[in-house]
């Protein structure tokens, strides 16, 4: 049997053990679903194109709908996106077509930083343009709805949910550390939520997390950051807040946290993933919907 034919419980076992790349490409495509999210916009592009007909054509046709200022914004962001991959395209002055096409699908929002890193994962795994665009749309709609709109409304909503879940799910000593941090949780979590870890985690760690995101949905998004808080948020000495700790010569807790996360996902990814899996059952979708 192929991985795409396995029942959910067997898929969970496969994800936990670490999925071979050949299974990941096929399985992720199954998780993207059969919907073509570009159908309405593609119809507009196809009216003027004699070459339309395949999904690959559609990506190029959608790109033609994007205003030049939005495409320029994407061009400027490309050098920040894993230069080891995008270097040649940067020299050619060509934006990754998946990002430009996605902007055409969301004309009211255009482009938001964070999308570049998410799109890069699909490119690095070898998905063709049309499948990469479908994956990008599917992941954004399922795991980070509204995060990248002009007002970041979905991000602000879900970081408020994250704050509530912190109180409900994490042990009291971790909650106390969060409260002493002196950094709003939405600021601390913004990068992780906007890029689904792809902006700072190694590719191997990112795809292991995305296996969980695609299998479990939003509960895994929240569990992933709560796990990082539980594992890596530094403690502040009794009677001292974060500002006092810095004044006393200690590193700023938010910086220490980010550095500890970077080390942790590189050196002990299994611990991080295990903690995420342990938290997912505590965050059912019904609870998320209620808090939203």
């Amino acid at each position: 049997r192929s991985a795409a034919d396995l029942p959910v419980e067997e898929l969970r076992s496969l994800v936990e053990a670490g999925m071979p790349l050949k299974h990941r490409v096929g399985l992720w495509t199954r998780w993207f679903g059969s919907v073509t999210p570009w159908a309405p916009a593609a119809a507009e592009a196809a009216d003027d194109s004699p070459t339309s007909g395949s999904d690959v054509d559609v990506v190029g046709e959608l790109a033609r709908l994007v205003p030049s200022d939005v495409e320029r914004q994407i061009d400027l962001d490309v050098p920040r996106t894993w230069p080891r991959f995008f270097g040649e395209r940067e020299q050619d002055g060509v934006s990754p077509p998946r990002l430009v096409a996605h902007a055409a699908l969301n004309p009211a929002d255009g482009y938001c930083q964070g999308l570049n890193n998410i799109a890069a994962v699909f490119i690095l795994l070898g998905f063709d343009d049309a499948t990469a665009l479908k994956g990008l749309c599917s992941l954004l709609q399922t795991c980070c709805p509204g995060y990248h709109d002009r007002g970041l409304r979905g991000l602000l909503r879900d970081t408020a949910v994250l704050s509530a879940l912190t109180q409900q799910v994490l042990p009291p000593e971790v909650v106390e550390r969060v409260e002493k941090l002196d950094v709003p949780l939405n600021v601390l979590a913004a990068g992780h939520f906007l890029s689904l870890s792809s902006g700072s985690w190694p590719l191997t760690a990112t795809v292991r997390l995305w296996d969980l995101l695609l299998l479990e949905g939003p509960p895994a998004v929240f569990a992933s950051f709560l796990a990082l808080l539980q594992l890596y948020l530094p403690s502040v000495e009794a009677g001292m807040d974060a500002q006092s700790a810095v004044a006393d010569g200690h590193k700023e807790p938010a910086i220490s946290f980010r550095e500890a996360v970077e080390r942790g996902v590189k050196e002990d990814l299994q611990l991080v993933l295990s903690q995420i899996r342990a938290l997912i059952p505590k965050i059912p979708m019904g609870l998320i919907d209620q808090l939203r």
Side-chain angles (χ1 to χ4, degrees), residues 12-28:
R12 288 195 173 104
S13 298
L14 180 63
V15 167
E16 182 175 351
M19 194 185 314
L21 178 60
K22 63 179 181 180
H23 293 321
R24 182 173 284 118
V25 171
L27 188 55
W28 280 19

Side-chain angles (χ1 to χ4, degrees), residues 125-150:
L125 291 185
F127 289 98
D128 62 66
D129 282 355
T131 307
L133 177 59
K134 186 181 292 187
L136 177 64
C137 294
S138 176
L139 194 62
L140 295 179
Q141 291 167 8
T142 302
C143 293
C144 36
Y147 288 13
H148 303 89
D149 69 17
R150 291 192 185 276

Side-chain angles (χ1 to χ4, degrees), residues 75-131:
D75 283 336
L76 292 173
D77 215 19
V78 165
R80 305 184 187 101
T81 311
W82 292 345
R84 67 181 182 275
F85 176 78
F86 286 131
E88 293 181 3
R89 291 196 173 187
E90 180 190 345
Q91 292 170 6
D92 293 338
V94 179
S95 296
R98 305 104 174 140
L99 286 173
V100 182
H102 184 269
L105 293 173
N106 298 275
D109 299 326
Y111 170 76
C112 175
Q113 286 188 4
L115 293 175
N116 54 322
N117 291 305
I118 295 175
V121 173
F122 296 111
I123 296 169
L124 289 168
L125 291 185
F127 289 98
D128 62 66
D129 282 355
T131 307

Side-chain angles (χ1 to χ4, degrees), residues 197 199-202 205 228 232 254-269 272:
S197 83
S200 57
W201 288 26
L228 299 179
Y232 300 118
I255 295 176
S256 297
F257 172 65
R258 285 193 290 269
E259 291 177 349
V261 169
E262 290 177 6
R263 286 194 304 272
V265 296
K266 289 177 182 177
E267 299 172 4
D268 202 353
L269 180 60
V272 176

Side-chain angles (χ1 to χ4, degrees), residues 179-183 236 239-254:
E179 292 172 345
K180 286 184 175 181
L181 191 59
D182 262 4
V183 177
V236 177
M240 182 180 293
D241 58 21
Q243 290 183 350
S244 300
V246 172
D248 199 39
H250 297 280
K251 187 176 290 187
E252 185 177 330

Side-chain angles (χ1 to χ4, degrees), residues 132-181:
L133 177 59
K134 186 181 292 187
L136 177 64
C137 294
S138 176
L139 194 62
L140 295 179
Q141 291 167 8
T142 302
C143 293
C144 36
Y147 288 13
H148 303 89
D149 69 17
R150 291 192 185 276
L152 303 179
R153 289 168 295 183
L155 175 68
L156 296 175
R157 175 203 63 218
D158 276 3
T159 51
V161 172
L162 177 70
S163 182
L165 289 172
T166 299
Q167 300 286 331
Q168 295 186 33
V169 174
L170 295 183
E173 61 271 18
V174 179
V175 175
E176 183 180 5
R177 276 185 265 157
V178 172
E179 292 172 345
K180 286 184 175 181
L181 191 59

